[in-house]
């Protein structure tokens, strides 16, 4: 209570200081003599320091109440561009509780209008455009540089320490973007320099959240669109997340679009990037669509670097921007980068496939598939599998063992086994299953897919089995040039007679009424027939006039007519890649 009773006098003192600073500053501007000008400027500096100390005291006192004394001070002592309003809002500066910074709240908050005035990408930029985007300061749509709004007194204090910072900031009253000004003011508040020494990872993470995470959340709230999911230090079972406890994740429609790694000050930015790379590898094997890159950051102590990972090459991180999370200029750079990152990922959502969603357990006919970080667990009712004409367990175990050395067939890391009537096998790697709606980006990508499929089938044939269920949904994509054959459960022994099947089981539809068979037997040519039909179906979706596909049509005809052996198919001119 005693502390509260002190506030009126302190507010009065603050008002007097504000008036005195204004008077001395005016004298400094009007002084003709250089010595007088220097005297008045030094006096103003001394008074501003005194004002800053008083503000610290007010912030401490504000922790006792529901409203911030600093906000009340702004109302009691309006500075240039400060707008008094009847109600108050608060925003915490790191490490000082919930009332370290505040500003007059205005129902006419223009944050949404301010953010929409910023020139952000209208479509997801390509990788070649990224670096140029981050090399330039943000601009408004009228081509004027973006100056971030801050509370008037923060503007004064920061400008006093470094006049060049005023090229990056403006008093909140100029744009009335109150919510954004609360965030920026909190980051630049002088007490923010009194944080922990970043000797532990938690402190580093808190600073990044203050500068980057909160900006993304603010943008999502005021710009509309689909909500972002922001997570830190937790696992995430989505189409895109790699479950190695990433330090920072941003997901949209459960697809991973941004990822970060933090290290304490005693660590190095190099080690942060190494850990980040280890955690983002596999992003492309778990998620596709048209998204070309994953944006990410590495932070060690106060050193911050923005990077990106290419979808088709998860072995290297590419540099976009260097900054720091300590100096006011570094903080503004990170905040502006966050605004641009939001603009990019909000456009990347249009490149996501329609079925991008959180999927843990997927029904599959008479079984299910459980998605795990790097693998899938496939289960099914064993009796029904046998009734569908499936192989005996010993044969399946033999087949999975035989193809373990192939890079073009799914591997069994555990099983297959049957326990209490339930079949179970754990399969690796986890990739993106191709649906019937999938269409390659080019003739080259289609050739890569068909070549991988043929090489996978070749490995199955070497074990003296036929796949017997070759279709696009039974192919997974790892990267643009890497595909694997999956679903071996309906394989059959090569050259086995298939006319006489159990009466309650129809011939598989993929065999097209027996057209895949050779004299009633399933042979190596039968699988090649199925590959040929896959290729023909895909060609029907692609441009007829594309001369690069003429060789594909010839290959498809040769496979469907059973005129090609595996060796002849793999040597076809269309599949001879550079």
């Amino acid at each position: 209570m005693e502390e509260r009773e002190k506030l009126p006098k302190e507010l009065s003192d603050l008002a007097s200081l504000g008036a005195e600073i204004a008077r001395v500053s005016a004298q400094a501007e009007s002084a003709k003599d250089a010595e007088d000008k220097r005297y008045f400027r030094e006096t103003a500096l001394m008074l501003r320091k005194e004002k800053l100390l008083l503000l610290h005291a007010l912030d401490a006192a504000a922790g006792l109440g529901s409203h911030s004394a600093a906000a009340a001070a702004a109302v009691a002592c309006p500075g240039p561009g400060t707008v008094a309003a009847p109600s108050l809002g608060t925003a915490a500066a790191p490490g000082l509780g919930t009332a370290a910074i505040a500003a007059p709240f205005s129902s006419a908050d223009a944050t949404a209008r301010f953010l929409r005035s910023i020139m952000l990408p209208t479509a997801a930029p390509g990788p070649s455009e990224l670096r140029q985007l981050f090399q330039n300061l943000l601009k408004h749509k009228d081509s004027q540089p973006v100056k971030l709004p801050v509370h008037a007194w923060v503007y004064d204090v920061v400008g006093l320490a470094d006049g060049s910072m005023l090229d990056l900031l403006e008093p909140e009253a100029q744009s009335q973007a109150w919510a954004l000004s609360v965030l920026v003011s909190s980051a630049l508040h002088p007490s923010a320099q009194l944080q922990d020494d970043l000797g532990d990872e938690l402190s580093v993470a808190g600073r990044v959240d203050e500068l980057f995470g909160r900006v993304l959340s603010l943008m999502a709230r005021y710009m509309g669109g689909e909500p972002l999911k922001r997570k830190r230090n937790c696992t995430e079972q989505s189409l895109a997340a790699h479950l190695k406890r990433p330090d920072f994740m941003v997901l949209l429609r459960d697809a991973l679009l941004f990822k970060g790694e933090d290290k304490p000050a005693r660590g190095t930015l190099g080690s942060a990037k190494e850990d980040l790379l280890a955690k983002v590898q596999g992003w492309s094997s778990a998620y596709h669509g048209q998204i070309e890159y994953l944006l990410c950051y590495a932070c060690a102590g106060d050193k911050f670097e923005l990077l990106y990972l290419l979808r088709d090459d998860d072995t290297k991180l590419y540099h976009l921007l260097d900054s720091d999370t300590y100096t006011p200029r570094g903080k503004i750079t990170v905040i502006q980068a966050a605004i641009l990152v939001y603009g990019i990922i909000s456009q990347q959502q249009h490149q996501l496939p329609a079925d991008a969603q959180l999927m843990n357990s997927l029904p599959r006919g008479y079984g299910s598939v459980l998605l795990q970080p790097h693998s899938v667990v496939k289960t099914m009712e064993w009796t029904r599998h046998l009734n569908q004409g499936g192989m005996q367990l010993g044969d399946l175990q033999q087949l999975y063992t035989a193809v373990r050395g192939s890079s073009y067939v799914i591997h069994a890391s555990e099983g297959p086994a049957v326990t209490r009537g339930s079949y179970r096998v754990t399969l690796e790697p986890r990739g993106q299953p191709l649906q019937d709606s999938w269409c390659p980006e080019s003739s080259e990508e289609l050739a890569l897919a068909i070549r991988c499929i043929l090489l996978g089938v070749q490995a199955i044939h070497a074990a003296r089995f036929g796949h017997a269920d070759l279709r696009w949904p039974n192919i997974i994509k790892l990267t643009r040039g890497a595909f694997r054959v999956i679903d071996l459960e309906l394989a059959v022994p090569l050259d086995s007679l298939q006319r006489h099947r159990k009466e309650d089981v129809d011939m598989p539809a993929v065999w097209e009424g027996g057209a895949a068979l050779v004299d009633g037997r399933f042979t190596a040519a039968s699988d090649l027939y199925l590959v040929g039909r896959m290729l023909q179906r895909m060609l029907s979706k692609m441009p007829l006039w594309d001369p690069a596909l003429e060789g594909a049509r010839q290959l498809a005809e040769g496979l469907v007519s059973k005129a090609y052996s595996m060796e002849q198919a793999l040597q076809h001119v269309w599949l001879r890649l550079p």
Side-chain angles (χ1 to χ4, degrees):
M1 183 65 69
E2 292 179 2
E3 292 294 334
R4 292 173 186 247
E5 290 173 354
K6 292 180 183 178
L7 289 180
K9 179 174 186 310
E10 289 174 335
L11 291 176
S12 175
D13 291 345
L14 190 61
S16 299
L17 273 174
E20 183 66 9
I21 290 170
R23 185 184 66 79
V24 174
S25 297
Q27 287 178 308
E29 290 299 319
S30 61
K32 303 299 183 183
D33 182 74
E35 189 65 25
D36 288 344
K37 187 180 289 288
R38 185 170 65 84
Y39 168 77
F40 287 122
R41 283 181 175 174
E42 288 177 353
T43 302
L45 176 60
M46 181 186 67
L47 291 171
R48 287 177 190 273
K49 288 180 179 179
E50 188 176 342
K51 178 181 176 182
L52 182 58
L53 290 173
L54 185 55
L55 282 167
H56 281 307
L58 287 168
D59 280 343
L64 301 174
S66 60
H67 297 304
S68 167
V75 176
C77 176
T82 302
V83 179
S87 59
L88 303 175
T90 64
L96 288 184
T98 58
I101 274 291
F105 174 80
S106 170
S107 59
D109 177 25
T111 293
R113 184 175 68 227
F114 180 90
L115 294 175
R116 291 193 178 108
S117 74
I118 297 174
M119 189 183 300
L120 295 174
T122 55
S128 61
E129 305 169 82
L130 278 179
R131 185 167 298 183
Q132 184 176 358
L133 274 175
F134 285 95
Q135 283 177 344
N136 300 316
L137 289 174
L138 290 179
K139 291 186 177 181
H140 289 289
K141 292 175 182 176
D142 61 4
S143 298
Q144 294 299 310
V146 169
K147 292 187 175 184
L148 295 178
V150 291
H151 304 335
W153 75 268
V154 175
Y155 178 84
D156 289 342
V157 170
V158 173
L160 182 65
D162 180 0
S164 67
M165 283 295 297
L166 301 185
D167 294 334
L168 306 175
L169 303 171
E170 67 180 18
E172 177 262 334
Q174 292 189 21
S175 64
Q176 296 186 338
W178 178 82
L180 179 58
S181 73
V182 169
L183 190 155
V184 181
S185 298
S186 176
L188 299 183
H189 189 286
S191 63
Q193 309 304 320
L194 306 178
Q195 279 185 295
D196 297 335
D197 62 1
L198 303 183
D200 62 85
E201 192 171 311
L202 187 61
S203 297
V204 176
R207 186 170 289 183
V208 174
D209 280 342
E210 179 80 8
L211 299 175
F212 210 100
R214 288 179 60 196
V215 173
L216 295 178
S217 297
L218 182 90
M219 295 286 291
R221 176 179 177 182
Y222 282 87
M223 296 290 283
E226 296 192 54
L228 297 175
K229 183 193 295 182
R230 184 158 60 94
K231 293 192 172 186
R232 181 175 279 286
N233 287 324
C234 61
T235 58
E236 171 65 22
Q237 292 182 333
S238 75
L239 278 178
H242 196 298
L243 302 194
K244 285 190 179 179
R245 288 177 57 84
D247 288 346
F248 185 93
M249 292 188 298
V250 173
L251 300 104
L252 180 65
R253 284 167 44 202
D254 295 305
L256 183 70
L257 297 183
F258 189 78
K259 203 166 188 175
E261 180 71 17
D262 303 309
K263 292 289 182 188
R266 63 180 175 272
T268 66
L269 198 58
S271 65
K273 289 193 285 188
E274 287 174 6
D275 282 3
L276 176 63
L277 183 59
K279 292 179 181 182
V280 296
Q281 281 182 340
W283 175 75
S284 57
S285 70
Y287 180 77
H288 283 281
Q290 299 302 313
I291 294 180
E292 298 181 84
Y293 48 80
L294 172 68
L295 293 169
C296 42
Y297 78 81
C299 190
D302 61 1
K303 304 301 181 186
F304 180 92
E305 184 173 358
L306 196 66
L307 308 127
Y308 69 96
L309 176 87
L310 287 173
R311 178 186 66 188
D312 296 331
D313 179 11
D314 63 2
T315 64
K316 181 179 179 182
L317 291 169
Y318 293 88
H319 170 83
L320 284 176
L321 173 145
D322 279 321
S323 189
D324 69 82
T325 62
Y326 183 75
T327 66
R329 183 172 296 276
K331 291 178 177 182
I332 293 300
T333 298
V334 174
I335 290 173
Q336 288 208 354
I339 292 173
L340 186 52
V341 164
Y342 178 85
I344 293 171
I345 63 178
S346 66
Q347 294 301 324
Q348 284 183 314
Q349 67 176 301
H350 303 303
Q351 298 176 312
L352 294 172
D355 59 351
Q357 56 185 317
L358 183 64
M359 298 190 297
N360 290 334
S361 184
L362 311 178
R364 283 289 187 269
Y366 46 91
S368 66
V369 172
L370 177 67
L371 301 184
Q372 294 189 328
H374 306 289
S375 61
V376 298
V377 178
K378 184 174 186 177
T379 60
M380 67 177 72
E381 229 181 284
W382 183 243
T383 302
R384 293 192 65 181
H385 164 75
L386 292 175
N387 288 338
Q388 292 291 326
M391 289 198 300
Q392 295 293 325
L393 179 62
D395 290 334
L396 275 173
Q397 291 171 334
Q398 178 185 339
L399 176 55
Y400 273 114
T401 300
V403 299
R404 190 171 293 163
S406 172
S407 300
Y408 305 98
V409 186
I410 197 76
H411 295 168
S413 57
E414 293 182 25
V418 176
T419 305
R420 292 189 292 274
S422 177
Y423 171 87
R424 178 186 175 99
V425 61
T426 302
L427 302 167
E428 294 180 352
R430 174 179 154 181
Q432 180 71 16
L434 302 182
Q435 303 301 322
D436 288 324
S437 59
W438 178 73
C439 190
E441 296 177 3
S442 63
S443 169
E444 182 188 27
E445 186 178 23
L446 179 58
L448 287 166
I450 294 296
R451 183 174 179 80
C452 289
I453 293 167
L454 288 172
L455 289 169
V457 172
Q458 185 181 50
I460 295 170
H461 289 180
R464 299 304 302 159
F465 291 98
H467 186 281
D469 193 24
L470 290 167
R471 47 199 174 90
W472 288 110
N474 284 341
I475 308 299
I476 59 171
K477 180 180 179 181
L478 305 181
T479 65
R480 181 174 175 273
F483 300 81
R484 292 202 185 202
V485 177
I486 64 172
D487 268 10
L488 307 185
E489 278 65 35
L490 292 181
V492 298
L494 277 184
D495 300 319
S496 57
L497 190 64
Q498 295 295 325
R499 281 182 189 156
H500 306 294
R501 297 170 69 86
K502 294 185 179 180
E503 293 180 1
D504 60 342
V505 179
D506 293 330
M507 183 175 288
V510 72
W511 292 4
E512 298 184 337
L517 304 180
V518 178
D519 296 330
R521 296 179 181 275
F522 196 94
T523 69
S526 302
D527 268 340
L528 294 179
Y529 171 90
L530 298 181
V531 176
R533 293 293 290 132
M534 289 172 66
L535 181 52
Q536 285 182 334
R537 292 188 182 97
M538 194 56 67
L539 289 172
S540 68
K541 303 178 184 180
M542 302 182 75
L544 294 174
W545 48 264
D546 189 348
L549 295 174
E550 185 55 37
R553 295 186 183 93
Q554 294 174 2
L555 175 60
E557 291 171 6
L559 293 173
V560 170
S561 65
K562 304 186 179 74
Y564 288 161
S565 66
M566 178 65 75
E567 290 71 21
Q568 289 172 321
L570 286 171
Q571 289 300 315
H572 193 277
V573 64
W574 184 62
L575 295 180
R576 292 178 186 171
L577 304 179

